[in-house]
């Protein structure tokens, strides 16, 4: 690109642009001077750019329709969780946990450092005024970019490693792992692997069975809800696909993997008999997705 009015000044073109810099309205040059090597920015070049953008947009739309984004599990106010931001904010999340960016230094961390970074971005065109476009000949811009990338990768990895350590210490299973296990389970059953697809609702089998009253009387509805779709506990619709009657009876008496306490004593205290508990386990084992 030319910088002066000297007619002998060497003209350096940027990209496909063949327009010489000038004041006011820019008159398009005669492109016949560059046979086979030039094209008008408007509409030829710009139309190509737009077409590429349209192809990328259509690609994203097709992927979105083909594989809808999975929904997370319903919010559970009684659950113990370790909050984490989305992956693209992990480096900021970790940065704000550093000693000189939090606590007594929170103002420095949130305003001071970000102000320096934003100011550097504003000053970048004045710090690096070189005309070179090659990476190795723009040391200031290249160094800043490399340092930024290293910092983002390091902080992101630190945040994720810390999160996994916390989950391991508290015995929690990350929801993304739970979703993967659920997807694998659904795949084995031939069901949709993502909650983005609407799944057929599983009906309650033999709703008029007296065991339904035992289910309510024993207090199961406090965790599994009166409609058995689950509240603080999981849904029991289709529980017969996962557990047999003996399994369910054992869960009632001994609890389940630390996620559910033993409920046998409280059921007996609520007025149920051993036969009622047995009938309840038998009825729950018949709660299957394909049963009618």
């Amino acid at each position: 690109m030319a910088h002066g009015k000297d007619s002998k000044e060497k003209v350096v073109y940027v990209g496909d642009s063949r327009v010489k810099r000038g004041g006011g309205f820019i008159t398009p040059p005669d492109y016949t001077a560059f046979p086979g090597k030039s094209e008008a920015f408007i509409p030829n070049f710009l139309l190509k750019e737009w077409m590429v953008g349209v192809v990328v947009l259509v690609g994203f739309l097709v992927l979105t329709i083909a594989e809808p984004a999975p929904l997370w599990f319903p919010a559970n106010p009684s659950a113990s969780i370790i909050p984490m931001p989305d992956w693209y904010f992990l480096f900021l999340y970790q940065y704000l946990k550093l000693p000189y960016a939090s606590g007594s230094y929170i103002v420095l961390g949130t305003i001071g450092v970000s102000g320096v970074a934003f100011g550097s971005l504003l000053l970048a065109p004045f710090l690096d005024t070189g005309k070179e476009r090659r990476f190795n000949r723009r040391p200031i811009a290249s160094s800043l970019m490399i340092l930024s990338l290293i910092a983002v990768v390091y902080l992101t990895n630190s945040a994720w490693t810390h999160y996994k350590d916390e989950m391991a210490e508290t015995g929690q299973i990350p929801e993304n792992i739970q979703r993967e296990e659920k997807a694998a389970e659904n795949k084995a059953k031939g069901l949709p692997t993502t909650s983005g697809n609407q799944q057929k609702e599983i009906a309650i089998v033999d709703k008029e069975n007296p065991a339904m009253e035992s289910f309510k009387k024993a207090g199961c509805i406090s965790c599994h809800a009166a409609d058995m779709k689950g509240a603080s506990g999981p849904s029991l619709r289709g529980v017969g696909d996962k557990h047999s009657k003996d399994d369910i009876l054992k869960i009632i008496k001994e609890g389940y993997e630390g996620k559910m306490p033993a409920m046998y004593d409280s059921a007996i205290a609520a007025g149920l008999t051993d036969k009622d508990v047995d009938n309840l386990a038998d009825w729950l084992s018949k709660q299957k997705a394909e049963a009618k």
Side-chain angles (χ1 to χ4, degrees):
M1 180 173 287
H3 295 274
K5 297 182 179 180
D6 184 359
S7 59
K8 295 182 180 180
E9 182 182 5
K10 181 181 178 181
V11 178
V12 179
Y13 296 103
V14 178
D16 283 344
S17 174
R18 298 294 186 270
V19 181
K20 186 177 180 180
R21 190 180 75 168
F25 179 77
I26 299 175
T27 304
D30 183 4
Y31 296 105
T32 58
F34 309 94
K37 298 182 179 179
S38 63
E39 60 182 339
F41 182 76
I42 298 176
N44 298 20
F45 185 79
L46 192 57
L47 181 59
K48 289 181 180 178
E49 294 285 306
W50 285 351
M51 290 305 296
V52 171
V54 168
V55 170
V56 172
L57 179 60
V58 170
F60 273 116
L61 290 176
V62 171
L63 288 174
T64 303
I65 295 172
E67 189 68 23
L71 299 177
W72 292 76
F73 295 134
N76 181 1
S78 63
S80 175
I81 63 168
I82 300 174
M84 279 288 286
D86 288 321
W87 63 269
Y88 42 85
F89 283 136
L90 281 179
F91 72 100
L92 286 175
Y93 175 70
Q94 184 65 18
Y95 161 72
L96 289 175
K97 291 194 292 186
L98 297 177
Y100 290 100
S102 58
S104 302
Y105 300 93
I106 191 67
V107 175
L108 174 63
T110 55
I111 299 179
V113 176
S114 56
V116 170
F118 185 72
S120 301
L121 186 62
L122 289 177
L123 293 174
F126 304 98
L127 295 174
D128 188 350
T129 58
K131 301 174 184 176
E132 284 286 347
R133 304 184 69 187
R134 281 170 286 192
F135 178 81
N136 58 343
R137 295 196 176 185
R138 303 191 65 174
I140 297 177
S142 301
S143 300
L144 290 175
M145 183 189 70
I146 292 174
L147 288 174
S148 299
L149 287 175
I150 291 175
V152 169
V153 171
Y154 172 77
L155 292 172
T156 300
N157 181 65
S158 299
W160 184 244
T161 302
H162 188 212
Y163 171 68
K164 289 196 296 184
D165 292 342
E166 285 184 311
M167 295 294 283
E169 290 177 1
T170 56
Q172 298 183 54
I173 301 175
E175 190 166 332
N176 64 309
I177 302 298
Q178 295 182 45
R179 288 167 52 193
E180 290 176 3
E181 293 175 348
K182 182 68 176 177
E185 184 181 321
N186 286 350
K187 185 178 181 181
K189 296 179 180 177
L191 299 173
T193 57
T194 171
S195 59
N197 296 322
Q198 189 67 33
Q199 297 185 22
K200 183 179 179 182
E201 183 175 286
I202 301 174
I204 299 177
V205 179
D206 192 10
K207 197 173 183 179
E208 302 303 322
N209 192 300
M212 185 71 182
E213 288 303 315
S214 298
F215 175 79
K216 296 176 181 176
K217 192 174 181 181
C220 304
I221 59 176
S222 62
C223 293
H224 302 289
D227 59 4
M228 299 176 64
K229 290 185 177 180
S232 59
S235 170
L236 291 184
R237 295 194 180 194
V239 67
D241 291 320
K242 305 175 184 176
H243 303 289
S244 65
K245 175 186 174 183
D246 291 340
D247 293 337
I248 296 173
L249 205 53
K250 183 178 180 181
I251 292 172
I252 293 174
K253 293 182 177 179
E254 301 178 8
Y256 183 67
E257 297 181 351
K259 301 175 183 176
M260 172 182 163
M263 298 296 297
Y264 177 78
D265 291 341
S266 59
I268 296 299
L272 269 64
T273 63
D274 282 338
K275 184 177 180 181
D276 292 332
V277 174
D278 186 78
N279 287 339
L280 176 59
D282 182 59
W283 176 69
L284 287 173
S285 69
K286 295 177 181 176
Q287 302 300 321
K288 299 183 178 181
E290 300 301 327
K292 294 181 180 179

